Amino acid sequence: MTVKAALGTQAAATRFLNVGGKASAADAEDSVEMAGAADMAETAPIVFHLVYEDAAGNVSQRIVTVRKIETGRSGPLLLCYCHLRRRARRFSLDRVLEVFDVSTGEVHGDPRAFFLGHPLLTVAESHEDRAFRLCSDDLTILTVVGAADGRFDPDEQDQLLVHVFDRYEDGALDEDILRGRLSLLTPDHASFFRSLSRVRPEDGRLLRRSLRRIVDADGHLDPAELAFVDTIESRLLSFG
């Protein structure tokens, strides 16, 4: 079984794909100014549902994975992976009419203020910021595995926290801040495969240990979940 097949069969209904029944929809092709550059992840992957009005006045609904905020000539831009177009897209923050936060279920009517103040999209300065960025790929993989059986238990979430503390050695970390940020993670398929390919061999041993802890955390050893983890571990070992 390949990683892709395992992910597709075991994680189709999990939190990172659950967008509250909302769907992407657009009647027209995207306008030129929305064309995106290469889809390069620079923050932890987070999924949102946007209501967006382009320069021509066309309103569409998009499910997007936000990568970073760029500075454009006319203001801040969201560089995202658009799940409707299946490619990178730029969205002007000033043209986002509404944003639905998948991680919290909240709707925000001031998208500019929401995104510019989002803790995962701000410049890293604190130990918590740096630790989160250091572990970003690991956390993406662990979140997907933890949710692969259709739920993400508190004990499994605790193992994400343990992993961050195990990896980060440059300073003291605030557990409450980290828990708040971990609760916002909503990785998608593309983020998972990208993170899996980027794990360095020297970091793979700790990640494999945390994968096993995630599986054991809820006290239920699901055979399909174990097979999924075995496949991921094989991929990690092959990269090394």
Side-chain angles (χ1 to χ4, degrees), residues 215-238:
V215 172
D216 295 339
D218 62 1
H220 175 67
L221 298 180
D222 182 272
E225 189 176 36
L226 288 172
F228 183 27
V229 171
D230 286 340
T231 306
I232 295 173
E233 290 183 330
S234 296
R235 287 287 295 271
L236 292 173
L237 289 170
S238 70

Side-chain angles (χ1 to χ4, degrees), residues 4-24 45-49 63-65 67 81-84 86 100-103 140 143-152 184-193 228:
K4 185 173 183 178
L7 181 64
T9 56
Q10 294 302 312
T14 57
R15 183 177 66 131
F16 68 97
L17 290 180
N18 179 4
V19 292
K22 297 176 180 290
S24 288
I46 35 182
V47 178
F48 299 99
H49 179 276
I63 296 171
V64 300
T65 300
R67 301 306 187 200
Y81 177 81
C82 176
H83 293 264
L84 176 66
R86 297 183 180 179
F100 170 74
D101 187 343
V102 174
S103 66
T140 294
T143 299
V144 170
V145 172
D149 58 358
R151 60 184 185 273
F152 200 49
L184 298 176
L185 285 175
T186 50
D188 57 13
H189 285 92
S191 301
F192 172 80
F193 292 118
F228 183 27

